[in-house]
Amino acid sequence: MKPSIWVKRIAFIIVLLAIWQGVYMSGYFPAIQFPPPTKVFQALVEGFADGTLVGALLASFKHLLIGLALAITLGTLIGVLLGKSRQADETAGMYLIAMQSIPSIVWVPLAIMLIGLNETAVIFVVVLGGTFVMALNVRTAIHSVPPEFIKAARTMGAKGLPLFFKVEVPASLPYYMSGIRLAWAFSWRALMAGELLSNGPGLGYSLRFAMDFAQMELVIGIIIIVGVIGSVVDQLVFSKLEKKVMRRWGLLK
Amino acid sequence: MKPSIWVKRIAFIIVLLAIWQGVYMSGYFPAIQFPPPTKVFQALVEGFADGTLVGALLASFKHLLIGLALAITLGTLIGVLLGKSRQADETAGMYLIAMQSIPSIVWVPLAIMLIGLNETAVIFVVVLGGTFVMALNVRTAIHSVPPEFIKAARTMGAKGLPLFFKVEVPASLPYYMSGIRLAWAFSWRALMAGELLSNGPGLGYSLRFAMDFAQMELVIGIIIIVGVIGSVVDQLVFSKLEKKVMRRWGLLK
Amino acid sequence: MFLQMNEVAKRFADHEVFSGINVSIEKNQFVSILGPSGCGKSTLLSMVAGLEDVTEGTLRLGGEKILHPGTDRGMVFQQPALFPWLTVKDNVTFPLKADHSKREKEQIAANYLKMVHLTRFKDAYPHELSGGMQQRVAIARALAMDPKVLLMDEPFGALDEQTRHILHDELMKIFEETKKTILFVTHSIQEAIKLSDRVIVMGTRPGKIIADFPIDIARPRERDDTKVIEMEKKIMELLEDEIKKVMKEELDYETKHLG
Amino acid sequence: MFLQMNEVAKRFADHEVFSGINVSIEKNQFVSILGPSGCGKSTLLSMVAGLEDVTEGTLRLGGEKILHPGTDRGMVFQQPALFPWLTVKDNVTFPLKADHSKREKEQIAANYLKMVHLTRFKDAYPHELSGGMQQRVAIARALAMDPKVLLMDEPFGALDEQTRHILHDELMKIFEETKKTILFVTHSIQEAIKLSDRVIVMGTRPGKIIADFPIDIARPRERDDTKVIEMEKKIMELLEDEIKKVMKEELDYETKHLG
Amino acid sequence: ASGNSNGDKIVIGYFPNINHVAGMVAEEKELYEKTLPDGTEVEYKYFPDGSAFMTALETGEIQGGLVGPGPAMNHYMSGAEINIVAAGSTGGTVIMARNGSGIDSPEQLKNTTFASPRVGCTHDVQFEALMMREYGLKSDRLKGEMKHVTGKPATYSQLFASKRIDVATVPEPWASKIEEEGHGKVLIDTDEVAFGETLPAAVFVTSKELVENDSELVQNMVDAHKEATTFIQDNPEEAKEIAANKIKDITDQELSKSVIDSSWERIDFTYNVKLEDLQSFANASYELEFLKEKPDLKGLVDTTFIEE
Ligand SMILES: Nc1ncnc2c1ncn2[C@@H]1O[C@H](COP(=O)(O)OP(=O)(O)OP(=O)(O)O)[C@@H](O)[C@H]1O
Ligand SMILES: Nc1ncnc2c1ncn2[C@@H]1O[C@H](COP(=O)(O)OP(=O)(O)OP(=O)(O)O)[C@@H](O)[C@H]1O
Ligand SMILES: [Mg+2]
Ligand SMILES: [Mg+2]
C-alpha cells in the first residue's frame, strides 16, 4: 500500500479526534455525558494497567474460541448433511434459514433461563450465532462444487468417499472459508450480545458494567476496543485466509 | 414447489413439537424453566388477544421502518461518495469496515447514554446497524459496474451525470439490492438488541419483560415470532426482490 | 482521406504499445485489422472511438481531430454490452438524443431491428436472447445513432462457428445497405478475408503495421475460391512468425515468474 | 470391433435425445462427431464414458459392456476441469491408483507433461497457466491413466484460433505416438476434417446419424488441399439443413415464449 | 436444575447495594463458613439485577441470597419454586427530583419523566403505587401522565445533569450520593413512600426444594444471615466500613462516609418478614398491571427458620 494512503487515514483520525475534543470544549453536552478523547484514553490505560480489561479480553476470547470451534464443527456437520441429502434438505433446510434470521441476542434470554447466568450460556449463544450461517454456507459450498470436477473425477475412476474427500471437499474450500468468516462475524456479534446480558466476565459485560455505572469514557473506550479487534481479526485473519484460498483456486485475480 | 416437500416440512415440525412435549412430560426440567408447546401457544394467543403483542409488533415495525429508511439513505450517500471518490475511499474506507465489524448491540449503551432511554435511541441503533453494511455494498456496487457498460455508453455520447444516472445507477442495482437485504438483516438484529435493552415498547422489550417476569412460555413464543417474521420478510420480500433484479439483469438463470 | 491516422503512438505508463501508425481509410471501406494477441488492436480501435487518449500523432475523422467519444463513431465490442435493464428496443434507442420525438425513436428502432431480423424481439430483455441475437442488437444499437464509422472489436469472437457464418452474411448486407465505413478487428484470417476490402496486419514488440493488403475478390466470397486460399496462406505465413515471437516471450515470462 | 454401439438410444424423463445409433470404431481410429447444437453429441460421449446411463441398446468396449466410468476411457472436456488445489504434476497423477509408487507417479507425470511440452510448469498451479496450457494438462491427465479410448468433447472450443492450430498439431503427434483410439466431438467442420480418419455427422429432432465419411487424405492435411475443400463443402451442405431446422425451431420457441 | 443440597459448595448471591449489607458482612466475617458444616466451600456471586438473581436461583447456580421482593414475587407468581425465609433490610427507597426542575411537591409530577431501575421493580412499584393511590397519577404504560424510563441508579446523576429525567425512584446509597453531588434533591423520603417502612427492601430467598429436602442447610444459611444482621445492628460503624469497601471492590464506586451515613439513616436492618407486607405490595403490583393475575403469595414466605 502506498504510504500516502496511510497519511490520509491517520489525518482522518486526527481530524475526528479534534472535532470530538472541540465539541467537548464547547460545553454543549454535560461533561458527565460526553467525555473528551483524553479521558477515554486514560480510562483505557487504567483498564489495561489494573488488568480488568485484560481479564475481560481473555474471557471474551475464551468464549469466542470455544463457541466458534463448536459452531464450525456443528455447522459443518449439518451443512454436509443438508448438502448431500436431498431428503434432509427438503425437510429441514427451510428452518435453517429461519433460525439464521433470528438475531442471536434473542437467544440470550432463552439460554439464561435454560442454562443459567453463566459462561456456558454465553458460549451457547455464540454457538447458535455461528452454527446456522456456517451450515448454510457449507450446504452452498457442497452444492456449488463445479459439476465438471465431479464428472472429470468420475471418468478417472473416483467414486464414493474418496470422491467426496479428494474432490468435493477441496473444491468447496473457498465457500467453506467464506462460511468460516461469516461464522466468525456472527459469533462475534453473538458474543457481545451474550456477554452484555450475562454476569461476566467478558468485554461485553465490562461494557454493560461501565454503562450501569455511568462511566461514559469506559463505554466509548470499550466500543473502540471492540471495533479494533473486530476489524483486525476480520481483515488480518479471516478475509486474508479467504482471499488466499480464492486466489489459489483461481476465483480471484 | 412439490407438495411432498411441504409434507416433509410439516412432518418435521410435528416431530420437533412431539419431542419437545416428550421432554416436558419426562419432567427432567422444572416446568418454570421448560414450558410445553401448548403453554407457549396459549401465551401467544393471549398476547395477541389482549393486544400487548400487537402493540409491540407495531412499535417494532415503526422503529425498523424509520431506521432502515434512514440507514439506506445514509448508506447510499456514503457509499456513492466512497465509490466515486478515490480520495474519500482511501481516507475513510478502512474505518467503514471497522465500523461494520462492531456488533450493533455495542452501540446501545452509547445511544442510551447520549440520547436517553427512548425510542430515538432504538432507532439510532437500528440506523447504525444498517448504514455501514449498506455503504459498503453501495461502494462495491459502484466499483463493480461492468466497465464495458461504461465504455459502450461513452461511445454513444453519454458522460457526466447522465452517464451516472442512466448507466451506473441501473447497472449497480443488483448489488444495491443485496445491500438493502443485508441492511435489513443487520437492522433487524440491531432492532432486537436496541429494544431488548430499552424500556419499550417493542418486541425486544416484550421479550425482556417476559424474561424478567420469568414467563418462559412467552420468551419462547416471542422467539418464534421473531424467527417467523425474520425469515418471512427475508424470503418473501428482500430475497425475492434481489433475485428478481438479478434475473432481469441476467445474473441468475 | 476520410479516417486518417498520422504517426500515431500509444504508451501506457510503463510500456509502449505501438508507434508510427500511419493509415488512411476511405469512406465506405471495410477494413480489417489482424494481429497477434497484445499487439494493440483493441487499443488502436479505442483510440479511434475516443475512449483512449492518443499519446503521439493525430487521428482525424473527416478532417476533424478525434479527442473525445462521439456519436459519429459507433462501436461494437466482443461482449454485446447491452444494458440488461432495458428492452431490446430501448437498448437500440439509448444513444438517441432527447430531441428525437418518441415516435421518431420507435421508427428508428424498428428500422434497425428489422435490419438485424429481430423485429419480433423488440420487447424482450437481453437475457432472453441467445449470444448471437444479443450481438445483433448491439450492432443495431451502434447503427441507430447513424455514425460515419462503425468500429468492431472481435464482434463475433465469442460466437460458435455456425452463428458466426450467419452474422457474416448479415453484416455484409448491412455494409452494402448503409454504406458505412467499417474498422473491424479480428483474430480470424478467414473472417478478415471473407468480409473486408482491405486487411491490415499488425506485428508486435513493438506494435507496428507489417502489411496492408487490398482484397480484390468479388463478393460473395467462397471458401474454396483459389484467390481466397492464396491470400489466406500469405497472411498466415506473415502472422505465424509474429505469433511464435509472442508465444516464446510468454513461455519465457511464465517460466521466469514461476521460477 | 473395438468400440461398438448397438441400437443405442437415450431418453431423459420427458424427451428422446436420439435412438438407433449403430457405430463400430476400430482400434487406433480417430473419429470425429459433428452435428448441430443439442443433437446429443455430448450425451453420446458421456454414455461411452459411463457418466450417463444407456436407455436402450448396448455399448461395448473391447467386447465388454460399458456400465460405469472406468480408467480404460479417458475424457477431456471443453473446460479443462483441472483441480485448482493441485499442482500441474499432481493433477496429472490424480487418476493413478495408490499402488503406483511415488517414483512411478513422478515418472508418468514427467512423461506425459513432456508430451504436451509443459515439463517446465510441473509445479505451477492451474490458475497460473493460459487456457491452452490448461487444456494440454487436461490431455496429459487423461493420458496418464493409459486409457484405451480418449473421449474429447469440444476440447478446443474455448480457445482462440491460433492456439487451436498449435494444439491440433500436438494432438496429432500424440495420436501417432500413443496409438490411442480417439472419439472427438466438435462444432468445426475444418477441425474434424483436419484431424480425423472418419467423420460421423449427426442430425437432430430426433437425434440420429445422418452420414459417416471416411477421410482418406494423407496427413498432414493442408487447408488448400482440394480434397479437403471438397469434403468440407459436402459436410457443410449436409449440416446446413440441420442447422436451419434448429434455428427455425428456436425462433419459434422464443417467439412463443416472449409472446 | 436443582439445589446443591448435600454437596460441599454453597453459592450465596447478593447485590453490591446498601440494602444488602448483611451479605457483605457475612462474606467479610465468613459467617456462612461458621454455621455450615466444616469443609463447606462458600462462594459469593454479585448480580446486576433481581431477575438475573432469580434465574440463577432457579437454575441452581446459587443456593440462596438477598434480592428485592419484586423479582422474588414476580418469579414466584410465574411458578418459580422458591421461598422467602428472612428479610434483609427495610426502607432505603427515596423519590428524588432534579435540582432546578422546580418540582417540590408530588402534585407537580404531571407530564414529567421519571426513572426507575427496571419496569416493575420494587422501587418502581413503591413509587407508582404511591402516585396512583395518593395523587391519581399513572405512568404512560397505563396511558397515564408520567413518562417512564429505566436506567441503573448509578446513571441518575447523569440523567439529572442532562435534564433527561425530572424524577427518579432511587435506592440507597445512590439517593444520598445524588444529594451529595447536588444533581437532585429528596422529594419524598423513605418513610412516606408506599410500604416505605414495612416492606423489606431485600429478602433472603432460597429454593423450595432445599427448604423441603435439606432444611438443615437452609437453617444454617438463615442463622448466618441472622448473625450478620445482628452484627450490623451492634456494630454500625464497622458495618459501614465493610459496606464501603465491598462496594468499592465490586463496583469500583467510591462512597464517601457522609453518603454511607446518610443512607444508613433511611435503612432498617432486620431479618423479620411478614407475609402481609409482601401481599399488600403484591396487590399494588397487580393494581399497576405488572402482574396479570391477582396475586396469592400463600406459601411464598416461610418464617420457621427465623423463629428457630
Ligand atoms: N489500460 C491499460 N494500461 C496498461 N496497459 C494496457 C492497458 N490496456 C492495454 N494495455 C496493454 O497494451 C497492449 C495491447 O493491448 P490490446 O488489448 O490493445 O491488445 P489486442 O491486440 O487487442 O490483444 P487481443 O488480441 O488479445 O485482444 C497489451 O500489452 C496490454 O497489456
Ligand atoms: N441431464 C439432462 N436432463 C435432461 N435433458 C438433457 C440433459 N442433458 C442433456 N439434455 C438434453 O439432451 C439434448 C442433447 O444435449 P447435448 O448436450 O448432448 O447436445 P450437444 O449435441 O452436445 O450440443 P452442443 O453442441 O450444444 O454441445 C439437449 O436437448 C439437452 O437439452
Ligand atoms: Mg483486443
Ligand atoms: Mg455438447
Side-chain angles (χ1 to χ4, degrees):
Chain A
M1 202 155 302
K2 281 180 292 178
S4 71
I5 296 183
W6 284 104
V7 171
K8 282 183 213 163
R9 287 179 175 175
I10 290 164
F12 183 73
I13 281 282
I14 292 173
V15 169
L16 268 195
L17 287 177
I19 294 174
W20 177 1
Q21 180 77 32
V23 171
Y24 168 72
M25 293 199 304
S26 80
Y28 180 78
F29 293 105
I32 185 169
Q33 208 186 335
F34 196 93
T38 46
K39 263 189 89 181
V40 170
F41 182 72
Q42 194 185 322
L44 282 179
V45 169
E46 269 170 30
F48 277 105
D50 71 10
T52 53
L53 285 180
V54 177
L57 268 173
L58 288 178
S60 288
F61 278 131
K62 188 181 100 185
H63 303 154
L64 184 67
L65 283 182
I66 299 177
L68 189 56
L70 282 170
I72 291 176
T73 312
L74 269 173
T76 303
L77 292 177
I78 299 174
V80 168
L81 179 68
L82 296 191
K84 295 297 286 181
S85 155
R86 200 196 164 82
Q87 284 295 333
D89 196 19
E90 287 180 351
T91 309
M94 188 182 82
Y95 301 112
L96 203 64
I97 297 175
M99 295 303 269
Q100 170 54 17
S101 70
I102 298 179
S104 34
I105 194 168
V106 165
W107 296 117
V108 179
L110 189 75
I112 290 177
M113 291 179 85
L114 278 180
I115 300 177
L117 204 83
N118 51 36
E119 295 190 61
T120 314
V122 172
I123 292 172
F124 177 74
V125 173
V126 173
V127 172
L128 282 181
T131 301
F132 303 119
V133 70
M134 188 71 208
L136 284 171
N137 266 271
V138 170
R139 185 178 71 150
T140 312
I142 288 181
H143 283 165
S144 61
V145 170
E148 62 257 30
F149 284 175
I150 295 183
K151 270 199 208 166
R154 284 181 61 211
T155 64
M156 294 183 275
K159 61 186 170 191
L161 280 185
L163 179 66
F164 181 69
F165 284 107
K166 285 178 73 183
V167 178
E168 291 187 76
V169 168
S172 54
L173 205 60
Y175 271 94
Y176 192 79
M177 296 313 294
S178 308
I180 288 184
R181 188 165 69 87
L182 283 174
W184 133 258
F186 280 100
S187 288
W188 172 240
R189 285 174 156 75
L191 175 73
M192 286 300 131
E195 284 185 353
L196 209 72
L197 296 180
S198 86
N199 203 16
L203 212 52
Y205 171 74
S206 298
L207 177 65
R208 180 65 199 263
F209 192 87
M211 171 189 165
D212 283 352
F213 289 99
Q215 298 167 345
M216 193 66 176
E217 59 280 359
L218 199 55
V219 167
I220 298 177
I222 292 176
I223 291 179
I224 292 174
I225 296 181
V226 168
V228 169
I229 292 180
S231 47
V232 164
V233 171
D234 189 57
Q235 292 299 305
L236 293 194
V237 182
F238 293 101
S239 247
K240 232 180 189 159
L241 218 63
E242 193 187 353
K243 285 210 179 110
K244 201 172 161 179
V245 170
M246 300 262 289
R247 199 165 293 124
R248 162 69 60 84
W249 262 236
L251 299 170
L252 207 79
K253 264 156 286 158
Chain B
M1 204 154 299
K2 281 179 290 176
S4 71
I5 295 182
W6 283 104
V7 171
K8 281 182 212 164
R9 287 178 176 176
I10 291 165
F12 183 73
I13 280 283
I14 292 174
V15 169
L16 268 194
L17 287 177
I19 292 175
W20 177 359
Q21 181 76 32
V23 172
Y24 167 71
M25 293 199 303
S26 81
Y28 182 77
F29 292 104
I32 184 174
Q33 230 182 312
F34 198 92
T38 46
K39 264 188 89 179
V40 170
F41 182 71
Q42 195 185 323
L44 282 179
V45 169
E46 269 172 31
F48 277 107
D50 71 11
T52 51
L53 284 180
V54 178
L57 269 172
L58 289 178
S60 287
F61 278 130
K62 188 182 100 186
H63 303 155
L64 185 66
L65 283 182
I66 299 178
L68 190 55
L70 283 171
I72 290 175
T73 314
L74 268 173
T76 303
L77 292 177
I78 299 174
V80 169
L81 178 69
L82 296 192
K84 295 296 288 180
S85 154
R86 200 195 163 84
Q87 284 293 333
D89 196 20
E90 285 180 350
T91 310
M94 187 182 80
Y95 300 111
L96 203 64
I97 297 176
M99 295 302 268
Q100 171 54 18
S101 70
I102 297 179
S104 35
I105 194 170
V106 165
W107 296 116
V108 179
L110 189 75
I112 290 178
M113 292 176 85
L114 278 180
I115 301 177
L117 207 89
N118 50 36
E119 294 189 64
T120 315
V122 172
I123 292 172
F124 178 75
V125 173
V126 173
V127 172
L128 283 181
T131 300
F132 303 119
V133 70
M134 188 72 205
L136 284 171
N137 266 270
V138 171
R139 185 178 71 151
T140 312
I142 289 182
H143 284 165
S144 60
V145 171
E148 62 257 30
F149 285 174
I150 296 182
K151 269 200 208 165
R154 284 181 61 209
T155 64
M156 294 184 274
K159 61 186 169 193
L161 280 185
L163 180 66
F164 180 68
F165 283 108
K166 287 178 70 183
V167 178
E168 291 186 77
V169 168
S172 53
L173 205 60
Y175 271 95
Y176 192 79
M177 295 313 294
S178 306
I180 288 184
R181 188 166 67 88
L182 282 174
W184 132 259
F186 280 101
S187 288
W188 173 242
R189 285 175 156 73
L191 176 72
M192 286 300 129
E195 285 186 352
L196 207 73
L197 296 179
S198 86
N199 67 313
L203 213 51
Y205 167 75
S206 297
L207 178 66
R208 184 66 202 260
F209 193 84
M211 177 188 165
D212 282 354
F213 283 81
Q215 297 166 345
M216 192 66 177
E217 58 280 0
L218 200 54
V219 167
I220 297 176
I222 293 176
I223 291 179
I224 292 174
I225 297 181
V226 169
V228 169
I229 293 180
S231 46
V232 165
V233 171
D234 190 57
Q235 291 299 303
L236 294 193
V237 182
F238 293 101
S239 245
K240 235 184 184 150
L241 219 64
E242 192 186 354
K243 286 210 179 111
K244 202 173 160 176
V245 170
M246 299 262 289
R247 198 166 292 124
R248 163 70 61 83
W249 263 234
L251 299 171
L252 206 77
K253 263 156 287 160
Chain C
M1 276 300 151
F2 184 58
L3 178 61
Q4 182 87 42
M5 307 182 191
N6 193 4
E7 284 296 323
V8 173
K10 177 72 188 177
R11 264 191 300 281
F12 288 110
D14 45 346
H15 84 132
E16 180 173 280
V17 182
F18 49 67
S19 63
I21 302 282
N22 288 294
V23 177
S24 298
I25 294 171
E26 283 166 51
K27 230 173 180 158
N28 195 21
Q29 211 175 27
F30 193 124
V31 180
S32 285
I33 303 180
L34 273 170
S37 205
C39 70
K41 303 182 296 295
S42 298
T43 306
L44 186 61
L45 217 64
S46 293
M47 286 159 77
V48 176
L51 293 173
E52 289 276 3
D53 293 334
V54 179
T55 312
E56 253 173 45
T58 48
L59 280 169
R60 283 178 195 279
L61 178 65
E64 270 190 62
K65 219 168 149 176
I66 292 175
L67 293 169
H68 306 289
T71 50
D72 51 349
R73 285 148 288 147
M75 186 144 176
V76 178
F77 303 87
Q78 177 162 2
Q79 294 310 319
L82 299 180
F83 303 131
W85 57 93
L86 299 177
T87 60
V88 163
K89 190 184 69 194
D90 291 342
N91 262 290
V92 174
T93 57
F94 183 92
L96 299 179
K97 293 255 162 58
D99 50 337
H100 289 274
S101 76
K102 214 186 149 211
R103 277 210 44 206
E104 273 178 318
K105 285 188 179 182
E106 295 267 342
Q107 190 54 50
I108 293 173
N111 190 12
Y112 288 103
L113 282 174
K114 196 172 158 210
M115 201 177 278
V116 297
H117 301 111
L118 286 175
T119 305
R120 283 198 286 192
F121 294 93
K122 68 180 196 310
D123 294 320
Y125 283 93
H127 73 98
E128 298 170 313
L129 307 183
S130 69
M133 290 160 119
Q134 290 187 18
Q135 201 55 284
R136 277 138 90 182
V137 178
I139 294 172
R141 181 175 66 174
L143 291 172
M145 52 186 186
D146 196 18
K148 296 180 192 154
V149 184
L150 197 55
L151 306 168
M152 307 183 89
D153 190 358
E154 302 190 43
F156 309 137
L159 306 177
D160 70 62
E161 206 170 298
Q162 271 88 28
T163 313
R164 201 155 13 180
H165 281 303
I166 294 164
L167 287 187
H168 286 161
D169 294 346
E170 284 199 3
L171 184 59
M172 276 296 99
K173 254 189 290 173
I174 291 170
F175 175 58
E176 271 150 32
E177 268 176 49
T178 61
K179 305 271 174 217
K180 298 284 172 210
T181 306
I182 297 182
L183 202 54
F184 188 97
V185 166
T186 175
H187 261 125
S188 163
I189 300 172
Q190 277 180 50
E191 188 172 72
I193 294 173
K194 184 173 172 194
L195 300 175
S196 339
D197 298 316
R198 177 178 166 196
V199 174
I200 293 175
V201 182
M202 285 179 73
T204 187
R205 329 281 153 122
K208 58 182 173 296
I209 290 174
I210 56 173
D212 191 339
F213 300 102
I215 314 281
D216 293 319
I217 307 171
R219 289 188 173 100
R221 294 169 186 159
E222 291 295 324
R223 240 201 96 324
D224 51 354
D225 187 320
T226 46
K227 279 200 209 154
V228 168
I229 292 176
E230 197 182 305
M231 183 58 82
E232 243 183 83
K233 265 202 139 165
K234 206 151 85 185
I235 299 179
M236 177 84 86
E237 268 156 34
L238 209 58
L239 267 180
E240 224 146 58
D241 294 343
E242 287 299 321
I243 289 165
K244 280 200 188 123
K245 213 156 90 183
V246 177
M247 293 273 294
K248 200 183 159 297
E249 261 183 54
E250 229 163 57
L251 270 179
D252 286 355
Y253 171 85
E254 276 166 338
T255 326
K256 221 186 303 157
H257 279 69
L258 298 166
Chain D
M1 275 302 152
F2 185 58
L3 177 61
Q4 182 87 41
M5 307 183 191
N6 194 2
E7 284 296 322
V8 173
K10 178 71 189 179
R11 264 189 303 279
F12 288 110
D14 46 346
H15 84 131
E16 181 174 281
V17 182
F18 49 66
S19 63
I21 302 280
N22 289 295
V23 178
S24 296
I25 293 171
E26 283 165 53
K27 228 172 181 161
N28 197 20
Q29 211 175 27
F30 192 125
V31 180
S32 285
I33 303 180
L34 273 171
S37 206
C39 71
K41 305 182 294 298
S42 299
T43 305
L44 185 62
L45 218 64
S46 293
M47 284 159 77
V48 176
L51 293 173
E52 289 276 5
D53 293 333
V54 179
T55 312
E56 254 173 44
T58 47
L59 281 169
R60 286 178 194 279
L61 178 65
E64 270 189 62
K65 218 167 152 180
I66 293 175
L67 294 169
H68 307 289
T71 49
D72 50 349
R73 286 147 288 148
M75 186 145 176
V76 178
F77 304 86
Q78 179 164 0
Q79 296 308 321
L82 300 180
F83 302 130
W85 57 92
L86 297 177
T87 59
V88 163
K89 190 184 70 195
D90 292 341
N91 262 290
V92 173
T93 57
F94 182 92
L96 299 179
K97 293 256 161 58
D99 50 337
H100 289 273
S101 74
K102 214 183 151 213
R103 276 209 48 204
E104 271 177 318
K105 287 188 179 182
E106 297 267 344
Q107 189 53 48
I108 293 172
N111 190 14
Y112 289 102
L113 284 175
K114 197 171 158 211
M115 203 176 277
V116 296
H117 300 111
L118 286 175
T119 305
R120 282 199 284 192
F121 293 92
K122 69 180 198 306
D123 294 320
Y125 282 93
H127 72 98
E128 297 169 313
L129 307 183
S130 69
M133 290 161 120
Q134 290 186 17
Q135 202 54 285
R136 277 139 90 182
V137 178
I139 294 172
R141 182 175 65 173
L143 291 173
M145 51 187 186
D146 196 19
K148 294 179 193 155
V149 184
L150 197 55
L151 307 167
M152 307 184 90
D153 190 357
E154 302 188 44
F156 309 137
L159 306 177
D160 71 61
E161 207 170 297
Q162 272 87 29
T163 312
R164 202 157 9 180
H165 281 302
I166 294 164
L167 286 187
H168 285 160
D169 295 345
E170 282 198 5
L171 183 58
M172 275 295 101
K173 251 190 291 172
I174 290 171
F175 175 58
E176 271 151 34
E177 265 178 51
T178 62
K179 307 270 174 217
K180 298 283 172 209
T181 305
I182 297 183
L183 202 53
F184 188 97
V185 167
T186 176
H187 261 125
S188 164
I189 301 172
Q190 278 180 49
E191 188 171 74
I193 295 173
K194 184 173 172 196
L195 300 175
S196 336
D197 297 316
R198 175 179 166 194
V199 174
I200 294 174
V201 182
M202 285 179 75
T204 186
R205 325 282 151 127
K208 58 182 171 297
I209 290 175
I210 56 173
D212 191 338
F213 302 100
I215 314 280
D216 293 319
I217 307 171
R219 290 188 173 100
R221 293 164 188 165
E222 290 295 322
R223 241 198 97 321
D224 52 354
D225 187 320
T226 48
K227 279 197 209 154
V228 168
I229 292 174
E230 196 182 306
M231 184 58 82
E232 243 182 86
K233 265 202 142 165
K234 206 152 82 185
I235 299 178
M236 177 84 86
E237 269 155 36
L238 209 58
L239 268 180
E240 226 145 58
D241 294 342
E242 288 298 321
I243 289 165
K244 279 198 189 125
K245 215 156 86 183
V246 177
M247 292 273 293
K248 200 181 159 301
E249 261 182 54
E250 232 163 55
L251 270 180
D252 286 353
Y253 172 86
E254 275 166 340
T255 325
K256 221 184 306 159
H257 280 68
L258 297 167
Chain E
S2 65
N4 189 351
S5 48
N6 36 20
D8 38 21
K9 193 172 122 185
I10 285 292
V11 186
I12 302 290
Y14 68 85
F15 299 10
N17 169 328
I18 211 90
N19 281 107
H20 294 234
V21 176
M24 301 175 198
V25 167
E27 182 178 4
E28 182 66 27
K29 298 275 168 196
E30 301 189 341
L31 299 178
Y32 288 95
E33 281 89 336
K34 279 179 203 154
T35 60
L36 286 164
D38 280 349
T40 310
E41 197 186 324
V42 182
E43 246 183 44
Y44 294 87
K45 264 195 159 190
Y46 320 114
F47 287 87
D49 56 58
S51 179
F53 175 99
M54 291 309 300
T55 305
L57 185 68
E58 285 150 25
T59 52
E61 251 172 279
I62 56 174
Q63 280 67 53
L66 292 163
V67 68
M73 206 181 66
N74 294 340
H75 277 240
Y76 181 75
M77 290 304 301
S78 296
E81 307 265 302
I82 52 144
N83 273 143
I84 291 175
V85 292
S89 59
T90 60
T93 300
V94 181
I95 313 298
M96 305 193 75
R98 174 163 55 82
N99 263 349
S101 65
I103 297 171
D104 35 39
S105 83
E107 286 89 354
Q108 290 171 283
L109 292 189
K110 204 168 172 171
N111 300 324
T112 56
T113 301
F114 76 94
S116 72
R118 289 292 271 268
V119 177
C121 71
T122 315
H123 316 288
D124 186 20
V125 173
Q126 284 183 291
F127 170 70
E128 287 199 47
L130 174 76
M131 295 310 293
M132 183 169 71
R133 288 173 181 175
E134 306 285 324
Y135 306 99
L137 291 174
K138 290 189 206 166
S139 89
D140 51 359
R141 191 173 41 83
L142 302 174
K143 315 259 177 295
E145 307 80 0
M146 297 183 298
K147 193 165 161 20
H148 185 184
V149 301
T150 55
K152 283 288 141 99
T155 64
Y156 292 170
S157 266
Q158 196 196 62
L159 293 174
F160 277 140
S162 57
K163 302 201 173 83
R164 293 260 191 62
I165 57 172
D166 307 299
V167 183
T169 170
V170 197
E172 285 293 7
W174 309 108
S176 299
K177 189 150 190 257
I178 294 168
E179 240 183 327
E180 190 186 62
E181 284 171 352
H183 291 294
K185 59 176 194 278
V186 178
L187 181 66
I188 305 169
D189 213 334
T190 305
D191 41 0
E192 289 162 53
V193 175
F195 326 108
E197 287 187 302
T198 53
L199 180 72
V203 288
F204 195 97
V205 188
T206 186
S207 77
K208 204 169 245 167
E209 196 199 331
L210 281 186
V211 170
E212 282 164 6
N213 300 335
D214 200 349
S215 59
E216 200 179 325
L217 175 75
V218 176
Q219 188 61 57
N220 289 340
M221 289 196 292
V222 173
D223 285 345
H225 173 66
K226 278 166 76 175
E227 203 173 317
T229 311
T230 316
F231 179 90
I232 297 168
Q233 288 162 348
D234 296 346
N235 312 282
E237 290 312 313
E238 194 180 344
K240 282 179 194 175
E241 205 173 303
I242 289 171
N245 289 338
K246 270 275 171 258
I247 290 174
K248 170 85 174 81
D249 268 2
I250 303 168
T251 70
D252 218 17
Q253 297 282 310
E254 201 109 34
L255 293 178
S256 68
K257 179 88 175 64
S258 58
V259 166
I260 300 252
D261 285 340
S262 153
S263 318
W264 220 262
E265 293 296 303
R266 297 194 173 106
I267 293 171
D268 197 4
F269 291 96
T270 168
Y271 49 77
N272 285 313
V273 59
K274 281 203 291 240
L275 179 63
E276 305 85 80
D277 298 333
L278 287 167
Q279 182 66 51
S280 59
F281 172 78
N283 292 344
S285 206
Y286 171 70
E287 276 173 54
L288 291 164
E289 295 180 25
F290 291 119
L291 297 177
K292 281 188 177 169
E293 291 157 43
K294 200 161 172 58
D296 180 2
L297 298 186
K298 210 180 295 150
L300 171 60
V301 179
D302 187 336
T303 53
T304 51
F305 298 96
I306 36 177
E307 284 153 9
E308 273 295 302

